[in-house]
Amino acid sequence: MRLTTKFSAFVTLLTGLTIFVTLIGCSLSFYNAIQYKMNHRVQAVATAIDTHLVSHDFKQLSSKIDELMVSADIVRVDLLQGDKIIYSQTRSSSYRPVGTSNLFRELSVPLIKHPGTTMHLVYQDPMGNYFHSLMTTAPLTLAIGFIVLMLFLSVRWLQRQLSGQELLEIRSTRILNGERGASVRGTVYEWPARTSSALDMLLAEIQSAQEQRSRLDTLIRSYAAQDTKTGLGNRLFF
């Protein structure tokens, strides 16, 4: 393999790995951004409930709290004073397609307008729904899959080229050691292919030259041992 080919293969592999790592980083950043946004939405719900509790009691806010819970996909709200639960409200989880799983996260928010009171919220993880996550990240998932496939094919191609070069080098060593004939002919797996073909052609020409030389030696010996005019054995032959 020429130096330029090796360099091109190395740069291609390095570029592919860089793109792959970049896509992995984008996926992690995307996941963290969604979690960060969801966390702030839940905190905003807790702040809104804390504000409404200043002028309303729990019974009046029951429907309002339920609406706020739906907006942030919250399934449970517990109001704690120390370790004691003074109010709790739950609702059924939102619709999920069949075959998906619901993963929940918890968040405790100290209430500013009610010192000593903490609101404990349980909400559905937006990335815990496998179907929704795959649909959301489908382009990124396909891009990562394509890069992985291209890296796999590139590595296989590089291994195949290197193995072909090793086969050609082994055959060259055998030829330098004096081996000739059909046993040192090349195969289709050798690379570069033109170098292998040129080596086979040179071996064929060398073998043909050796056969011609052998025939000439035989002819010269026969002329030296026989008189060309009489057809009788040369006197030097006796």
Side-chain angles (χ1 to χ4, degrees):
M1 184 182 293
R2 294 180 300 176
L3 179 61
T4 54
T5 307
K6 289 183 178 180
F7 181 74
S8 300
F10 175 75
V11 170
T12 302
L13 184 60
L14 187 61
T15 304
L17 288 174
T18 303
I19 296 174
F20 178 71
V21 172
T22 303
L23 288 175
I24 293 296
C26 291
S27 301
L28 294 176
S29 299
F30 180 74
Y31 176 81
N32 291 330
I34 289 180
Q35 297 295 343
Y36 180 79
K37 181 179 179 180
M38 193 65 187
N39 194 359
H40 275 266
R41 286 180 60 185
V42 174
Q43 288 182 357
V45 170
T47 303
I49 295 175
D50 184 24
T51 303
H52 286 298
L53 285 176
V54 175
S55 57
H56 300 81
D57 58 9
F58 294 114
K59 292 183 179 180
Q60 295 176 344
L61 289 178
S62 179
S63 59
K64 186 67 175 179
I65 292 175
D66 193 66
E67 292 178 1
L68 292 173
M69 291 171 66
V70 172
S71 64
D73 224 358
I74 301 172
V75 297
R76 182 176 177 180
V77 175
D78 294 329
L79 200 62
L80 295 88
Q81 197 165 20
D83 295 333
K84 182 181 178 181
I85 299 177
I86 59 177
Y87 178 76
S88 179
Q89 183 169 339
T90 60
R91 72 174 185 87
S92 58
S93 60
S94 59
Y95 171 76
R96 286 292 183 267
V98 177
T100 60
S101 62
N102 294 329
L103 298 179
F104 299 95
R105 288 180 174 267
E106 300 181 2
L107 181 66
S108 295
V109 180
L111 301 183
I112 299 176
K113 297 183 179 181
H114 296 80
T117 306
T118 303
M119 185 172 294
H120 182 75
L121 305 102
V122 180
Y123 63 95
Q124 291 180 345
D125 187 354
M127 301 301 292
N129 184 339
Y130 302 134
F131 178 79
H132 179 71
S133 301
L134 289 177
M135 291 300 296
T136 305
T137 60
L140 189 60
T141 304
L142 292 176
I144 293 176
F146 177 75
I147 293 299
V148 171
L149 178 62
M150 293 304 297
L151 285 175
F152 176 74
L153 294 177
S154 300
V155 171
R156 283 195 62 185
W157 177 84
L158 188 59
Q159 289 179 345
R160 190 173 300 173
Q161 304 310 316
L162 292 176
S163 63
Q165 184 183 13
E166 290 177 357
L167 290 175
L168 185 61
E169 185 176 357
I170 292 173
R171 185 161 72 100
S172 301
T173 303
R174 292 173 60 191
I175 293 173
L176 291 176
N177 290 335
E179 295 186 28
R180 296 292 185 273
S183 60
V184 290
R185 288 183 180 177
T187 63
V188 294
Y189 301 105
E190 291 182 346
W191 194 88
R194 290 187 177 182
T195 304
S196 178
S197 300
L199 190 59
D200 288 335
M201 187 178 296
L202 289 175
L203 289 175
E205 291 180 357
I206 291 174
Q207 186 175 359
S208 177
Q210 289 178 346
E211 292 176 355
Q212 291 181 4
R213 180 179 177 182
S214 179
R215 287 196 296 270
L216 288 175
D217 288 343
T218 302
L219 184 61
I220 291 173
R221 289 179 183 276
S222 64
Y223 284 161
Q226 188 178 20
D227 192 343
T228 56
K229 293 183 177 181
T230 61
L232 299 175
N234 196 307
R235 59 187 179 84
L236 295 178
F237 180 71
F238 301 96

